Amino acid sequence: MSATVIDGKAFAATVRQKVGGHVARLKEEHGITPGLAVVLVGEDPASQVYVRSKGKMTLEVGMASYEHKLEIDTSEADLLALIAQLNADPKIHGILVQLPLPPHLDSDLVINAIDPAKDVDGFHISNVGLLGTGQKSMVPCTPLGCLMMLRDHHGSLSGMNAVVIGRSNIVGKPMANLLLGDSCTVTIAHSRTKDLPGVVRQADIVIAAVGRPEMVIGDWIKPGATVIDVGINRIDKPEGGTRLVGDAEYASCAAVAGAITPVPGGVGPMTIACLLANTITACCRANGLAEPEGLTV
Ligand code: NDP
């Protein structure tokens, strides 16, 4: 068997196009321009790349982008003051604080200072609780992107066995909650899971969110299963230089799976598309307008 490749890059482009259409309508019919504020503390190179591409894509869909770049030694009080200002600003519909923060700043405190209605990353404790209890919330972007691709590929996920490898607050746990919401039977695996290959072999859907290059191999995959590879790992090439690989070994998994997301070009592009989707959802909710269909759960 050779797996269908789930093209996250193409799918993300359709999501952004949909978002762009809604932005144009909001401007035309209501005179509202959705605004996304991104806060970056320090000069972590990977974070700078993410923030730059978030800003670029925000503008491309017609939204307003507000970037706040703060010095690495910014105090917690100053950061909280900025968040309070963004919370109160009616031009801003979404606020994202780029993680990781420098160690002297308490990430939980900072994230929980964001107005939950503007928390487009979906990390505020209120949104975590709402998602966990099946209520309307802001949904973390990466798991939302994975769910969108799964729904697009399968239609209904009801009754499927899903194994999520990884239990982080930003990927594994919200992903498991979303799959549960779509009536999957969900197993969350982690570093203490016994017989991980055996657990994964039961899965119709495998979500690999581990942070270990090419850990999941084809021998673990049930024939025909869908593999969603969240991992982004940079490894050395034997001939020099580096390349990006996922948490699943692509060739061996693709030989057995029914469908698979590549790395790069799978989950990654969907994450930013879902950030934009969340911003338009937040903007519609803030203005008492019907939220666009298919852009959130
Ligand atoms: P974390 O490091 O926060 O979590 C990793 C999880 O994997 C932990 O729950 C850990 O278990 C588990 N784990 C580690 N080793 C093993 C093992 N040998 N067997 C089974 N489970 C294991 O990572 P994140 O959730 O933040 O990210 C996961 C991956 O996804 C990374 O590669 C990251 O780069 C990528 N990522 C990609 C995004 C995208 O946009 N595509 C966005 C966010 C992340 P335990 O809890 O027991 O330690």
Side-chain angles (χ1 to χ4, degrees):
M1 182 180 295
S2 182
T4 301
V5 179
I6 300 178
D7 185 345
K9 198 171 167 196
F11 193 42
T14 67
V15 171
R16 289 198 306 272
Q17 199 178 12
K18 231 185 208 179
V19 170
H22 288 293
V23 172
R25 247 191 311 283
L26 275 174
K27 284 184 183 172
E28 226 172 85
E29 295 173 11
H30 302 281
I32 299 167
T33 301
L36 173 64
V38 177
V39 179
L40 173 65
V41 185
E43 291 180 354
D44 176 64
S47 294
Q48 283 180 324
V49 172
Y50 290 138
V51 166
R52 210 173 307 129
S53 77
K54 282 168 187 170
K56 183 169 162 268
M57 293 201 183
T58 304
L59 295 174
E60 272 172 17
V61 295
M63 294 183 184
S65 168
Y66 303 89
E67 281 182 23
H68 294 267
K69 293 187 176 158
L70 308 182
E71 297 296 327
I72 191 156
D73 58 356
T74 298
S75 70
E76 204 158 77
D78 284 350
L79 180 55
L80 291 174
L82 171 63
I83 290 173
Q85 185 195 315
L86 298 172
N87 283 342
D89 186 340
K91 293 194 303 300
I92 307 287
H93 303 97
I95 302 169
L96 179 150
V97 176
Q98 184 66 44
L99 299 176
L101 287 171
H104 69 284
L105 298 171
D106 178 343
S107 302
D108 287 339
L109 185 79
V110 170
I111 297 301
N112 289 328
I114 298 173
D115 177 348
K118 297 188 178 188
D119 167 38
V120 282
D121 250 345
F123 297 158
H124 189 289
I125 192 70
S126 297
N127 283 315
V128 175
L130 289 168
L131 178 62
T133 50
Q135 301 179 66
K136 212 175 251 306
S137 63
M138 296 305 304
V139 179
C141 304
T142 300
L144 177 59
C146 296
L147 187 75
M148 281 186 187
M149 289 193 286
L150 284 168
R151 283 181 174 177
D152 184 65
H153 184 73
H154 287 286
S156 169
L157 308 181
S158 180
M160 296 177 90
N161 284 336
V163 172
V164 180
I165 318 174
R167 56 175 163 179
S168 72
N169 290 334
I170 63 167
V171 188
K173 285 179 194 156
M175 187 73 245
N177 270 324
L178 287 173
L179 292 165
L180 207 50
D182 271 26
S183 298
C184 291
T185 302
V186 182
T187 304
I188 307 177
H190 46 77
S191 66
R192 306 293 173 89
T193 297
K194 289 184 184 148
D195 185 21
L196 184 60
V199 170
V200 174
R201 273 186 208 113
Q202 304 302 314
D204 304 308
I205 295 170
V206 180
I207 311 282
V210 195
R212 303 210 178 258
E214 302 180 316
M215 187 185 85
V216 177
I217 56 172
D219 183 50
W220 298 11
I221 304 298
K222 178 162 98 175
T226 297
V227 178
I228 304 289
D229 191 349
V230 181
I232 303 179
N233 311 286
R234 191 166 285 284
I235 61 166
D236 293 330
K237 289 198 281 196
E239 67 272 26
T242 60
R243 66 188 179 103
L244 282 186
V245 297
D247 290 342
E249 189 184 56
Y250 186 80
S252 67
C253 289
V256 187
I260 188 165
T261 58
V263 177
V267 175
M270 284 300 288
T271 297
I272 297 189
C274 287
L275 172 68
L276 304 174
N278 277 348
T279 305
I280 195 113
T281 299
C283 178
C284 290
R285 288 179 187 169
N287 288 283
L289 300 168
E291 53 196 71
E293 273 182 33
L295 293 180
T296 190
V297 291

